[in-house]
Amino acid sequence: MRRYLRFVPPALLLAVLLELAVFVGVGRMIGYGSAVLLVFAASLLGLVLLRREGMRAWRGFRASVESRQPPGRQVTDGLVGLLGALLLAMPGLVSGVVGLLLLVPPVRRLARAGVQRAAERRVSSMAAADLFGPRRVRVRRGAPTAEPTVDPEVVPPTVVDGGRAIEGEIVEPRP
């Protein structure tokens, strides 16, 4: 995680320069006063949507907890909605467009799936199961290319019958 932190300052600088260049370009096309009003209106809309998305995320989280369902899907959907509203609330035309895109349902579903996959990779399989419910594992038929390294005390030996998948469980490797 820390190795990516060195890219944050240059990325922020590029984002500011991109916002400035787009603002100047739009200002030349429609006029600077209109561009300022457009940025102001987008920020105001973002603030309104920030409150709405926050309340929606909180209600979805509470409903999933009360119904004893894994809250991960509602949490990731709420996070994507909040990120979209926050980007829309930030002054800038590029961040506003990205924020609006994150609030469109098909794009939101794609972003939610990406956030969920990233979260599942970063937490243990038990925590991911608690957050998102049972994981789906894709099994391919055919002979294995290498003998799996399994500790017989942790996982009992598995028998494969003619390439058919046998139900099993995901076990975290020991560090």
Side-chain angles (χ1 to χ4, degrees):
M1 177 78 171
R2 290 184 182 178
R3 63 179 177 216
Y4 296 114
L5 290 179
R6 68 174 181 239
F7 296 116
V8 171
L12 288 175
L13 181 64
L14 283 175
V16 168
L17 290 175
L18 179 66
E19 289 282 1
L20 191 60
V22 169
F23 180 78
V24 168
V26 170
R28 285 185 178 171
M29 286 179 14
I30 65 171
Y32 288 104
S34 299
V36 169
L37 285 176
L38 184 64
V39 169
F40 181 71
S43 295
L44 192 61
L45 177 65
L47 290 174
V48 169
L49 288 176
L50 194 61
R51 181 172 186 262
R52 188 191 82 171
E53 289 296 324
M55 293 302 292
R56 181 175 173 226
W58 179 248
R59 274 190 246 115
F61 174 74
R62 284 190 53 201
S64 65
V65 168
E66 287 172 1
S67 65
R68 299 198 184 270
Q69 297 286 326
R73 184 180 182 115
Q74 286 76 19
V75 169
T76 53
D77 188 48
L79 285 176
V80 170
L82 283 171
L83 178 65
L86 184 65
L87 284 173
L88 192 58
M90 288 175 46
L93 297 172
V94 175
S95 62
V97 168
V98 172
L100 270 177
L101 283 176
L102 285 177
L103 294 175
V104 174
V107 178
R108 190 175 187 155
R109 278 193 298 271
L110 286 172
R112 181 181 65 215
V115 169
Q116 183 174 338
R117 278 193 305 273
E120 284 177 342
R121 273 186 266 142
R122 294 190 185 274
V123 298
S124 71
S125 58
M126 290 177 59
D130 288 343
L131 279 175
F132 303 109
R135 293 174 115 182
R136 293 184 181 185
V137 180
R138 194 174 291 172
V139 178
R140 299 178 193 264
R141 292 183 179 214
T145 58
E147 189 65 32
T149 57
V150 176
D151 187 359
E153 294 178 11
V154 176
V155 179
T158 306
V159 178
V160 176
D161 182 25
R164 294 184 332 182
I166 298 176
E167 190 173 325
E169 124 185 22
I170 298 173
V171 178
E172 289 288 321
R174 293 182 185 165

